[in-house]
């Protein structure tokens, strides 16, 4: 069970000495009469996080101690679920989650897919290979309960649905739904027209961050949940992404690359920060060399940007959208959404709505 995981080993021996030993666990997935996920017949509420395999010290090649640290954090906060976004997971991580009773959503690499991709036979053939490799690699891990694909893909387009069916069928051909369930993180939400292929409905939404406002967070998630229950009453519903996008310019004195584009006209037309390889120091020095934002710094005493600065965005006022800067203008102080306190409020509202 999740609360008290029990693992077993099996050894296969060939001839007089060659042997392979594998560890595994036994559990059964299902759906209750009210559309809730069950594990071994018990309704189970998933509470957890999205996790990227990365570390400031090791990049994407985590040490075992760093992997253990991530799992320990999940246990410490009382989580029972983690989404491995957006790629198949490290076997060491799966082993530790098996031991701790942490349930896992594992998915193939593939955010940013398009309808063109999902109607391309070559792309789909390679996707099926990726699905098969992922499922087979984690077959003996009872912690893995969902397999996904196409993070925030074009599932609002009927022409893309056959591509969703291809991946779902590839998973189902290897694992019955009693072992693994199929899902994807849908940013299309109620506009998703491919959900017949999913065993679990999973919505990405960031109310009070990208959309809506703080007072409506609970109502927004209640509306999504009610829609799912009405249209797909036999499929569990999962919040796959929500919260606050992050502190855009967190204090950072290193030469780490910024990894965003400052479009032409952001600081001055055609500046060399449009190459997506400027460091924090490069950006700060360039900004302070211009009259438009002289006096600006990325490293405030409270780890937030320091006035005088005001940010204007192309399509919204949200401060965490990569590639959306249009101008820095000397004047008013930072938007309230720079505030760590605001982000905490957003996360608290999301968690309250989920519970």
């Amino acid at each position: 069970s999740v609360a008290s995981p029990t693992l077993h080993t099996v050894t296969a021996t060939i001839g007089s000495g060659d042997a392979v030993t594998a560890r595994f666990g036994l559990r059964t997935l299902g759906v209750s009469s009210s559309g809730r996920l069950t594990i071994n017949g018990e309704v189970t509420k998933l509470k957890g996080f999205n996790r990227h395999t990365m570390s400031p010290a090791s990049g994407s090649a985590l040490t075992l101690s760093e992997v253990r640290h991530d799992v320990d954090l999940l246990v410490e906060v009382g989580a029972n679920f983690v989404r491995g976004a957006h790629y198949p997971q490290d076997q060491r991580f799966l082993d530790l989650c098996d031991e701790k009773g942490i349930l896992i959503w594992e998915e193939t690499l593939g955010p940013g897919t398009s309808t063109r991709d999902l109607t391309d036979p070559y792309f789909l053939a390679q996707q099926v290979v990726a699905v098969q490799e992922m499922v087979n690699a984690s077959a003996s891990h009872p912690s893995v309960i969902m397999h996904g694909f196409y993070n925030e893909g074009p599932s609002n387009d009927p022409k893309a649905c056959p591509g969703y069916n291809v991946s779902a069928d590839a998973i189902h051909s290897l694992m019955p739904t009693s072992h693994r369930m199929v899902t994807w993180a849908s940013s299309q939400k109620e506009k998703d027209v491919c959900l017949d292929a999913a065993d679990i409905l999973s919505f990405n939404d960031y109310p009070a961050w990208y959309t809506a406002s703080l007072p409506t967070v609970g109502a927004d998630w209640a509306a999504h949940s009610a829609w799912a229950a009405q249209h797909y009453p036999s499929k569990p519903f999962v919040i796959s992404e929500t919260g606050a996008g992050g502190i855009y310019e967190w204090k950072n004195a290193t030469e780490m690359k910024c990894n965003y584009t400052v479009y032409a006209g952001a600081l001055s037309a055609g500046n060399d920060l449009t190459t997506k390889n400027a460091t924090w120091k490069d950006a700060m020095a360039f900004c302070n060399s211009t009259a438009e934002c002289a006096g600006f710094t990325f490293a405030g005493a409270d780890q937030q940007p320091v006035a005088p600065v005001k940010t204007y965005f192309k399509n919204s006022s949200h401060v965490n959208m990569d590639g959306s800067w249009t101008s820095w203008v000397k004047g008013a102080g930072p938007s309230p959404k720079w505030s760590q306190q605001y982000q905490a409020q957003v996360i608290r509202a999301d968690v309250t709505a989920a519970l």
Side-chain angles (χ1 to χ4, degrees), residues 79-101:
N80 67 356
F81 179 63
V82 60
R83 177 180 173 218
H86 305 288
Y87 28 73
Q89 295 298 289
D90 184 336
Q91 292 292 308
R92 300 170 303 169
F93 181 68
L94 298 182
D95 283 339
L96 292 170
C97 288
D98 288 343
E99 295 169 8
K100 300 295 185 180

Side-chain angles (χ1 to χ4, degrees), residues 284-285 287-299 305-309 330:
M284 185 159 43
C287 185
N288 282 307
S289 70
T290 65
E292 286 78 12
C293 59
F296 173 75
T297 175
F298 288 109
V306 171
V309 134
K330 185 175 181 179

Side-chain angles (χ1 to χ4, degrees), residues 325-350:
W325 294 5
T326 57
S327 63
W328 290 102
V329 179
K330 185 175 181 179
S335 159
K337 288 186 179 177
W338 290 104
S339 164
Q340 297 172 46
Q341 290 74 26
Y342 179 80
Q343 296 184 63
Q345 289 178 310
V346 172
I347 293 170
R348 186 180 298 109
D350 283 318

